[in-house]
Amino acid sequence: MFWWRISKNAIPTFALLSYRRLINHEGCPRGCSDKENTDHIVIRCFFIKKVFKLLEEWNFGTPEFDSVEDCHQVLSRLANVNPFLGNLICSVIFYCWNSRNQLVHGGCDDSCYVIACRAVIQSISSFKNGLISENRDANQLFKLFKSSWLPPPPGWIKVNMDASIFLNNNAGIGGIFRDYKGRGLAAFGFHTIHWDIAQMELLAILSLRDLIKDWMLEAKGIVIEGDNLNVINIFQNALKKNKWNHEEFLNPKDLDFLHNFQHFIFSFVNRDCNKLANFCANYSHFSSFFWDDFCSGRVPPSILELLKVESSCNN
């Protein structure tokens, strides 16, 4: 629907609303000196240019466009020769527009880093296989396998979380931190008593406040990933509103630790992409643990082997 509206010049930009005499201004709400029309939101806004420049630094080279019509022609060609890149461009434009709407309606604009990261994750998740043909480094970092763990953008870290419940309400929470090359940074798990798996998944994410180390804050951002869609939606919706206390399950003070990172996003994946976190959650039924040295000999060989397998899918 979004791209159909763009093709029909029916996106409710300020220029269009001004033309229909619904508002009396047409300038870009992000402070550009240009009027906000369809061309502006697709290719000319300084904000979207910053996002595309950031992607270029991450080895995702994107073509430049002279107009919306030129953009349509390029996307038509990419549909055959490089559908991933076309998907990435579409995702960036959509997320920039969505963030603009948050700003216009009283919320906060997402940062360029968050939009770029979200666009990359969305585009990678849309494919089961295929490569980014223009760049070998990007191929190594972002090989596209939907049924396996996917790395975060360069300079970011990702933590996968999960929870499990056994008989007699014995429960475990576990997870693993990895960098953009798939290398293990830390793994953890702890045992508790609970009967509600959804509540356990929520507690798994909240437990990060006691697990984050100072050196992790040096990353450009963190992706928090889980396989419970309802729980991830709770955090995503609260983040969009920029008012954590609107979610009845969340205490805003419990989430202050996230603001120590430059950027953070929440991401949902299917269970096949969350195997190591699930393993850690199940292993915690035997004993609680925190491993930040994968060469120490304390880490079970089965975890090291699974880590090796998942990392090899992205090399």
Side-chain angles (χ1 to χ4, degrees):
M1 181 63 73
F2 173 73
W3 281 97
W4 178 85
R5 287 182 173 180
I6 285 184
S7 67
K8 301 298 182 180
N9 196 27
I11 291 290
T13 62
F14 280 174
L16 180 62
L17 296 178
S18 176
Y19 174 77
R20 293 179 177 177
R21 299 184 180 181
L22 297 175
I23 60 176
N24 59 4
H25 57 89
E26 57 183 13
C28 174
R30 289 186 169 113
C32 292
S33 57
D34 299 334
K35 68 177 181 179
E36 189 196 50
N37 53 23
T38 304
D39 263 15
H40 184 80
I41 66 168
V42 173
I43 61 175
R44 305 202 187 284
C45 183
F46 81 94
F47 187 85
I48 199 168
K49 288 180 179 180
K50 287 175 64 177
V51 176
F52 280 124
K53 183 178 180 181
L54 183 59
L55 288 173
E56 187 175 352
E57 294 175 0
W58 293 353
N59 294 319
F60 291 103
T62 56
E64 295 183 359
F65 313 114
D66 296 324
S67 64
V68 173
E69 291 73 18
D70 184 33
C71 179
H72 282 148
Q73 292 176 7
V74 171
L75 290 175
S76 296
R77 292 197 300 270
L78 290 175
N80 296 318
V81 300
N82 195 337
F84 170 82
L85 188 57
N87 188 297
L88 181 61
I89 293 170
C90 291
S91 297
V92 167
I93 295 171
F94 172 76
Y95 285 129
C96 283
W97 171 253
N98 191 53
S99 179
R100 172 265 188 203
N101 289 337
Q102 292 176 194
L103 177 64
V104 168
H105 296 291
C108 292
D109 213 354
D110 291 328
S111 71
C112 295
Y113 272 95
V114 167
I115 289 177
C117 184
R118 188 173 291 142
V120 169
I121 292 174
Q122 165 62 32
S123 300
I124 290 176
S125 300
S126 299
F127 292 83
K128 290 184 178 179
N129 50 42
L131 294 176
I132 307 161
S133 59
E134 287 82 2
N135 191 290
R136 181 175 177 273
D137 291 334
N139 290 342
Q140 291 178 329
L141 295 178
F142 298 100
K143 208 167 183 179
L144 310 177
F145 288 95
K146 193 174 182 179
S147 61
S148 181
W149 179 84
L150 298 170
W156 287 54
I157 61 176
K158 177 186 280 191
V159 56
N160 288 81
M161 311 286 300
D162 204 5
S164 63
I165 295 180
F166 287 162
L167 297 176
N168 300 321
N169 296 328
N170 284 307
I173 287 174
I176 182 168
F177 293 87
R178 283 175 277 193
D179 67 9
Y180 70 99
K181 292 186 177 180
R183 296 173 296 198
L185 302 175
F188 60 89
F190 52 89
H191 177 265
T192 185
I193 302 295
H194 214 286
W195 58 92
D196 186 338
I197 188 62
Q199 188 69 18
M200 287 295 297
E201 300 269 5
L202 188 74
L203 291 173
I205 294 178
L206 294 178
S207 69
L208 288 175
R209 63 181 179 269
D210 300 318
L211 299 168
I212 298 294
K213 304 301 180 183
D214 289 342
W215 55 265
M216 296 179 183
L217 302 178
E218 299 176 3
K220 292 181 179 179
I222 184 171
V223 179
I224 303 167
E225 199 165 71
D227 56 27
N228 188 310
L229 180 58
N230 292 331
V231 171
I232 294 299
N233 280 340
I234 288 175
F235 287 94
Q236 287 179 336
N237 291 335
L239 182 59
K240 289 177 183 177
K241 297 173 184 176
N242 200 38
K243 293 181 180 179
W244 295 97
N245 55 342
H246 279 192
E247 296 295 336
E248 59 179 313
F249 303 103
L250 301 177
N251 183 332
K253 292 184 179 180
D254 291 336
L255 299 160
D256 285 346
F257 71 93
L258 289 175
H259 296 284
N260 293 325
F261 288 95
Q262 297 181 50
H263 309 280
F264 58 91
I265 64 173
F266 296 94
S267 175
F268 166 76
V269 291
N270 62 50
R271 293 193 64 81
D272 288 337
C273 304
N274 210 38
K275 293 177 181 177
L276 258 177
N278 180 257
F279 191 105
C280 291
N282 287 324
Y283 193 86
S284 68
H285 287 279
F286 300 102
S287 63
S288 298
F289 62 90
F290 183 87
W291 303 312
D292 57 1
D293 183 356
F294 286 79
C295 299
S296 65
R298 295 186 299 143
V299 184
S302 50
I303 289 183
L304 295 176
E305 181 61 27
L306 186 54
L307 179 64
K308 180 179 178 181
V309 170
E310 292 194 343
S311 296
S312 67
C313 289
N314 298 282
N315 292 305

